[in-house]
Amino acid sequence: MIKSIIVDDEMLSRNTLKKLLEIHCPEVEVVAECEDAGSAALHVSGLKPDLVFLDVAMPGKNGIEFLKEYGEINFEVIFVTAHDKYVLQAIRFAAVDYLSKPVEEHLLITAVTNARKRIQAKTANHNMETFLHNIQQKTNQQEMQLCVPGIKGFQIIKLRDIVYCEADNTYTVLHLTENKKLVASRPLMDYESLLQDTSFIRIHKSFLINIQHLKEYQKGEGGIAIMSNGKHLDVSRRKKEHFINYMKQFFKY
């Protein structure tokens, strides 16, 4: 059984989530319900749950403030009602799950399944450290961290260290600074979606680049993007116009 606590200031939301868990995730045992961060701190310390369903927007201390002040986080977290676009980005980069209200059954099942895997792998502390780091980087996006899953687990890297991402069937090769490489067990399209609204842009079916590492663009049928590590990457004809417009906007020329 997965011992869990629900933290939400709305009684109806707590009751609804508990009922959904009973029906769709019977392996989850709800051992306590809390309506604020203070109560949550007491119950988490005393009951030592495996998993906490944490409402982000609560009166008084919100869910993020609770995590910041709690200390060592040795439990998994599934966030609920993350409305803020930046908070959602920080959550996704940390490879943590979230649910929006009203909670959809299939998303709940997926989130619990993912949490179970992290509980078994004992990665909760690393994921939360990454999330709390990211939430502090609102004005410095390149310093945000990304949890990258691999065959043997995952690694944490900063966005600024990614020069470009390259498709490799269902995997993605992340080309990093200092000529390092990291193979991620997710396809390139996942990273294109994950890194939208950042400095990354898809220039080819095989390449997603960090424009912060773009050193030169050479005109041509599609053109060539020359990166900070010296690599010459093709820009597809179909993506050329979007890429040039993005460069103009990003570099303001």
Side-chain angles (χ1 to χ4, degrees), residues 7 37 54-58 60-71 73 77 79-84 86-88 90-91 128 131-136:
V7 183
L54 183 61
D55 189 4
V56 172
M58 295 186 293
K61 290 181 183 177
N62 62 33
I64 295 170
E65 290 169 330
F66 160 71
L67 289 175
K68 286 179 181 177
E69 296 178 9
Y70 183 76
I73 300 169
V77 176
F79 290 98
V80 185
T81 66
H83 297 299
D84 185 278
Y86 178 75
V87 172
L88 282 178
I91 290 171
M128 283 300 103
F131 169 72
L132 292 174
H133 169 85
N134 287 345
I135 213 70
Q136 302 292 330

Side-chain angles (χ1 to χ4, degrees), residues 64-249:
I64 295 170
E65 290 169 330
F66 160 71
L67 289 175
K68 286 179 181 177
E69 296 178 9
Y70 183 76
E72 184 178 1
I73 300 169
N74 50 13
F75 50 87
E76 270 300 326
V77 176
I78 295 177
F79 290 98
V80 185
T81 66
H83 297 299
D84 185 278
K85 178 180 177 181
Y86 178 75
V87 172
L88 282 178
Q89 188 179 66
I91 290 171
R92 293 191 190 105
F93 284 5
V96 181
D97 287 277
Y98 70 94
L99 299 167
S100 297
K101 295 179 183 178
V103 174
E104 297 182 42
E105 291 89 343
H106 71 285
L107 295 178
L108 174 62
I109 293 169
T110 298
V112 169
T113 299
N114 291 339
R116 185 195 306 114
K117 292 177 182 177
R118 293 195 297 271
I119 290 168
Q120 292 170 346
K122 298 181 180 179
T123 62
N125 192 265
H126 298 295
N127 290 86
M128 283 300 103
E129 284 178 358
T130 300
F131 169 72
L132 292 174
H133 169 85
N134 287 345
I135 213 70
Q136 302 292 330
Q137 306 300 323
K138 193 167 187 176
T139 59
N140 194 4
Q141 199 176 59
Q142 287 290 303
E143 289 299 313
M144 292 183 75
Q145 295 176 338
L146 188 67
C147 283
V148 180
I151 297 173
K152 296 182 179 180
F154 70 90
Q155 292 188 43
I156 299 172
I157 58 175
K158 289 187 177 180
L159 294 193
R160 64 174 166 83
D161 292 331
I162 305 174
V163 180
Y164 67 95
C165 305
E166 181 179 9
D168 184 8
N169 295 316
T170 58
Y171 293 85
T172 299
V173 179
L174 279 67
H175 295 263
L176 310 177
T177 54
E178 300 179 355
N179 290 317
K180 295 178 181 178
K181 293 182 182 180
L182 180 61
V183 178
S185 55
R186 296 178 65 175
L188 186 62
M189 63 182 296
D190 282 7
Y191 284 100
E192 181 181 16
S193 174
L194 181 64
L195 295 170
Q196 63 181 340
D197 301 321
T198 68
S199 59
F200 286 77
I201 181 172
R202 188 80 172 260
I203 64 168
H204 189 277
K205 66 179 181 180
S206 297
F207 303 121
L208 175 73
I209 71 167
N210 184 351
I211 204 164
Q212 295 276 14
H213 283 280
L214 178 68
K215 291 303 178 184
E216 184 180 343
Y217 170 68
Q218 295 180 350
K219 293 181 179 180
E221 189 174 14
I224 300 291
I226 302 176
M227 307 305 294
S228 62
N229 61 358
K231 296 295 183 181
H232 290 52
L233 306 179
D234 289 331
V235 179
S236 70
R237 285 183 299 171
R238 191 164 58 88
K239 296 186 179 295
K240 178 179 179 179
E241 183 178 357
H242 176 62
F243 174 54
I244 290 175
N245 289 336
Y246 186 85
M247 280 196 299
K248 288 179 178 178
Q249 182 180 13

